[in-house]
Amino acid sequence: MQSTDVRECSIARTLDLVGERWTLLALRELFLGNHRFEAIVRHTGAPRDILTTRLRKLEAHGLIARSLYQERPRRYEYRLTPLGESLAPVLTVLREWGDEHLAGPDGPPATFTHSCGAKLEAHVTCRHCGEEVKASAVRQAAP
Amino acid sequence: MQSTDVRECSIARTLDLVGERWTLLALRELFLGNHRFEAIVRHTGAPRDILTTRLRKLEAHGLIARSLYQERPRRYEYRLTPLGESLAPVLTVLREWGDEHLAGPDGPPATFTHSCGAKLEAHVTCRHCGEEVKASAVRQAAP
DNA sequence: CCCACTAGGTTGGATTTTCCAACTAGCATG
DNA sequence: CATGCTAGTTGGAAAATCCAACCTAGTGGG
């Protein structure tokens, strides 16, 4: 009777990396162009010490890079690496879901535009057939 | 000097609901067809008491429903509501990112098929132009 | 010179959350 | 009557988080 049989899974791995509290909000700020520690603290509300550990972890895994933007006194800011930028779809989908299901009577708290000129409304599609991916359309392949 | 200016944001709202530890893994199990408490504990590794509080919260917000599947002794299982099923894209994108960036030499730990017959590889596209959404192509609209 | 201010952190200690193992209820089965 | 199944609940230890204050290394004002 083995009582644990924890599933090896890319979802779990991704969450191990970016699923802790504040991490995705910090990344959101970087995507929005706020690269400084103080700005991230202000806009996320994260405790400064926690934010430090989150940023260090993201840096250690190559999602962000710390760069000196000023000598004397030495000041650092954070920038997304290409790997970090590849998380854009994750944030986009989280925002999309919140926009659709958690918005108040005034609609979503912020809107975004895509480079095509339209208000950004994103959806997840199958690369092969182009159809929107729905829960009922996905099956685990035989291992 | 107002020191806090926390951003109202759909990402934050979504994470408030499903961003705590274990929550998304529990939802993953429901998507995979494991509806029972014991199965979720086994496959996620979540502590039983924590899992209980997570499931209660999801239920309170209408993402899942608890249903009696057996009288004497009364036993309940959990099922996704339509609202819960609408989270599929979130899990899909998290898995996609992990598949692509955290897989070992043997590739991703599990693969999925789409109803179109192909191995599921999903991406996030703009509803308007159909292009894949990249970090650099998104700008916040003027408030 | 002294003070205030900036910015990216660190520190100590209180608070909260999580974790874990053991236990319960209510019934079925051998 | 003992054992097992399943969805929890409980108490206490361990860990993570939170918070306010502090630090460093400078700049600008009076």
Side-chain angles (χ1 to χ4, degrees), chain A residues 28-44:
Chain A
R28 175 196 70 191
E29 291 306 313
L30 296 180
F31 275 108
L32 291 175
N34 293 313
H35 304 291
R36 313 267 248 251
F37 188 85
E38 292 296 327
I40 301 173
V41 165
R42 271 171 47 87
H43 291 118
T44 62

Side-chain angles (χ1 to χ4, degrees), chain B residues 34-97:
Chain B
N34 293 312
H35 304 290
R36 313 267 249 251
F37 187 86
E38 292 296 326
I40 301 173
V41 165
R42 271 171 48 85
H43 291 118
T44 62
R48 312 169 71 83
D49 54 342
I50 305 301
L51 183 62
T52 300
T53 72
R54 296 294 188 266
L55 291 171
R56 292 289 178 278
K57 179 171 179 177
L58 291 174
E59 193 191 357
H61 287 85
L63 295 165
I64 63 176
R66 203 163 75 120
S67 70
L68 196 66
Y69 72 89
Q70 165 187 295
E71 291 273 358
R72 278 201 311 290
R74 296 174 87 81
R75 296 268 185 265
Y76 296 93
E77 64 179 8
Y78 298 91
R79 297 201 165 261
L80 293 163
T81 61
L83 182 59
E85 290 196 342
S86 73
L87 276 171
V90 171
L91 292 178
T92 296
V93 167
L94 289 170
R95 183 168 53 229
E96 193 71 27
W97 195 86

Side-chain angles (χ1 to χ4, degrees), chain A residues 7-74:
Chain A
R7 193 184 299 281
E8 263 311 302
C9 158
S10 285
I11 298 173
R13 290 180 186 173
T14 302
L15 291 174
D16 280 347
L17 193 48
V18 300
E20 291 169 302
R21 199 174 179 192
W22 306 118
T23 299
L24 285 167
L25 298 184
L27 289 168
R28 175 196 70 191
E29 291 306 313
L30 296 180
F31 275 108
L32 291 175
N34 293 313
H35 304 291
R36 313 267 248 251
F37 188 85
E38 292 296 327
I40 301 173
V41 165
R42 271 171 47 87
H43 291 118
T44 62
R48 311 168 72 84
D49 53 345
I50 305 300
L51 183 63
T52 301
T53 72
R54 297 292 188 269
L55 292 171
R56 292 289 178 277
K57 178 170 177 176
L58 291 174
E59 192 190 359
H61 286 85
L63 295 167
I64 64 176
R66 201 162 76 119
S67 70
L68 197 66
Y69 72 88
Q70 167 186 295
E71 290 273 0
R72 276 200 313 289
R74 296 174 86 80

